[in-house]
Amino acid sequence: MTGLPLVFPKYRHSMLLMAVSLCTVALLFAWQGHTDFNLWDEGFLWYGAQRVMAGEIPIRDFLAYDPARYYWAAALMRLIGSDGVVALRVASAATQALALFLALRLVNRPKNAIHPEKLGFVAAATVVLVMWMYVYYKVYDVAASIALVAAIASVFEKPTALRYFGLGVCVGLVATIGRNHGVYGLVGCAGLVVFNGLGTRGLLAQGLKHVAALLAGVLLGFAPVLLMMLWVDGFASAFMDSIYFLFETKATNLPLPVPWPWRAQVLAMPLSFAAHGFLVGFVFIAALLFPFLSIAWLVGQRLKGRAINPTFAAAALMSLPYAHYVFSRADVPHLSFGIFPLLVGCLVVLRDLQFKLQWPLLASLVAASVALMLPLQPGGKCLLVHKCVATQVAGDTIRMPEKKAKEIELLKKLVADHVSKDGNILVTPSWPGAYAVLNKRSAVFDIYTLLNRSTAFQKKEIARIAAAKPELVIIVDEPLDGGDAHSLEHTNPLIYEYVLANFVEVPVSGSSTVRAFRPQ
């Protein structure tokens, strides 16, 4: 019996991969679910989820991502019975498990069986994928990119109008998570329609039929936001204003120079840091080259009438628009958010190689992923990089680097010294998580004041501040990207002048970047 290959039937195949995903995410959460904290981006999501639980509307009532992630997080947090950061992470972990399952499902075909010798590949692929899913509060974006690859792969397998409709629904749904994902999905869909028409007859008639099905699906998938625009007072105008602001700023993110490997400061840093910089730079090169080389190869195969791998083709198409996401702010976090089409494509290629070639390459990918991303994982930070201490964060005990713990304690001390129980505060231009930590409502709409705002917008914010009558104003002067271009004084000078004219600065001990003001 030991010599007979064990084969998992089709339904057990999915059950096995789901079990792997759930167990992996559960183990990761047990290790680091109470570790590290970010007053910046994680606090941005956490505050939004709290406000949704309180009945407010994203985008209309506070600066926010697109609505879906907030309602998903708020629903699970309400089910758990907590509005704390650990409950928020449970919601993110549920999303991570779904994303991991879908990715493993993509890279472990054929669908009907997993032989025992393939279980090692499943384990290695799992390590690679979860290493790059290192930011809890951004797994929604990761899940969106993987879902788009899966939906396009299904159309490559069987390009029917029904599957195009399903793809459209997926594009619409991911747009409710982030409109950038909807745009990326439409770019991938355009490539799909053209690619499926290469070398075939009746392209126009077939293409129009498929495009119509696709667009109908997009409308259905995006229906929750469309209905909010129709039925929720003020949401439509706020939503359009948020789109207009993107054109006004002429950017989707705060740009950074690309960390190409030749820019690594080898002589100015320890060897381990230099090696890390080299690896990061080479991954950026891969993120740039992979979509162009793989798409060119696929076009050649199609024109020659040869069969193509549906998952690899989908990953190649989606890696192109997600390269924009990677390079919009060229740092490791944004690299990790947009790299999953590339990872899926690479794992699909490795899956089909012969054992002697597969495992050296797979082991290299695992080693590179662990070397790059383990020090950035919350648990890895406290294990390898920082000395971490336990701190109370809105009822949850969180271990975090000492610098962050001191920021939390300073924030709580300033509020305890200067703010009454129901008093309002203003924290700007960063630290949106301060409101979530204190479970207080922001005095302004823009809780992350890092971009230049118009005079009219600033005047509205000043009116909100005057109405809220904050008992404490905290200005965080911590430089972003090594400069002061995103300080409140530069981005919102009218608000800055209003604070100086109407509040008096009080001494702050223990921080050179935090300034506190009380009303005159």
Side-chain angles (χ1 to χ4, degrees), residues 24-62:
T24 301
V25 171
L27 289 172
L28 281 174
F29 194 88
W31 176 42
Q32 57 188 14
H34 290 74
T35 303
D36 203 18
F37 178 65
N38 185 333
L39 276 170
W40 297 59
D41 287 357
E42 184 174 25
F44 185 77
L45 176 65
W46 183 20
Y47 174 78
Q50 282 187 345
R51 298 325 302 167
V52 166
M53 294 177 73
E56 294 187 20
I57 306 296
I59 299 177
R60 187 194 70 176
D61 297 329
F62 56 91

Side-chain angles (χ1 to χ4, degrees), residues 442-461:
S442 170
V444 293
F445 169 84
D446 190 350
I447 58 173
Y448 218 161
T449 319
L450 299 177
L451 297 173
N452 295 326
R453 289 289 191 172
S454 66
T455 298
F457 181 88
Q458 291 182 66
K459 288 181 177 179
K460 289 181 180 179
E461 292 290 78

Side-chain angles (χ1 to χ4, degrees), residues 241-419:
D241 286 343
S242 69
I243 294 176
Y244 174 76
F245 182 62
L246 292 176
F247 289 98
E248 185 180 31
T249 58
K250 299 178 181 179
T252 57
N253 218 318
L254 305 178
L256 283 174
V258 180
W260 301 118
W262 49 84
R263 288 184 175 176
Q265 302 295 321
V266 178
L267 300 179
M269 60 180 66
L271 181 60
S272 60
F273 287 90
H276 190 274
F278 269 115
L279 273 176
V280 169
F282 282 120
V283 177
F284 270 95
I285 291 177
L288 185 63
L289 293 181
F290 176 79
F292 293 103
L293 295 180
S294 56
I295 290 173
W297 181 82
L298 287 167
V299 169
Q301 295 296 104
R302 173 53 64 92
L303 292 176
K304 294 176 182 177
R306 296 175 180 171
I308 59 172
N309 184 293
T311 303
F312 179 79
L317 284 181
M318 288 312 307
S319 66
L320 182 59
Y322 274 97
H324 170 268
Y325 194 61
V326 167
F327 286 93
S328 66
R329 181 170 173 81
D331 57 8
V332 176
H334 287 80
L335 173 64
S336 71
F337 307 154
I339 200 174
F340 281 84
L342 185 154
L343 290 178
V344 169
C346 290
L347 289 170
V348 167
V349 171
L350 292 176
R351 180 200 65 200
D352 295 331
L353 293 177
Q354 293 183 352
F355 183 84
K356 290 182 180 180
L357 185 59
Q358 179 190 73
W359 274 96
L361 293 175
L362 186 59
S364 299
L365 180 59
V366 171
S369 298
V370 171
L372 275 175
M373 306 311 295
L374 181 59
L376 302 179
Q377 293 273 348
K381 285 182 182 179
C382 291
L383 180 66
L384 303 172
V385 182
H386 299 286
K387 178 183 177 181
C388 293
V389 296
T391 302
Q392 287 294 310
V393 180
D396 292 316
T397 302
I398 307 294
R399 292 181 65 249
M400 64 183 74
E402 286 183 304
K403 178 180 180 296
K404 294 183 178 181
K406 290 178 180 178
E407 291 173 347
I408 299 293
E409 295 306 318
L410 173 61
L411 174 66
K412 291 190 288 189
K413 183 178 186 304
L414 287 172
V415 171
D417 290 345
H418 300 292
V419 182

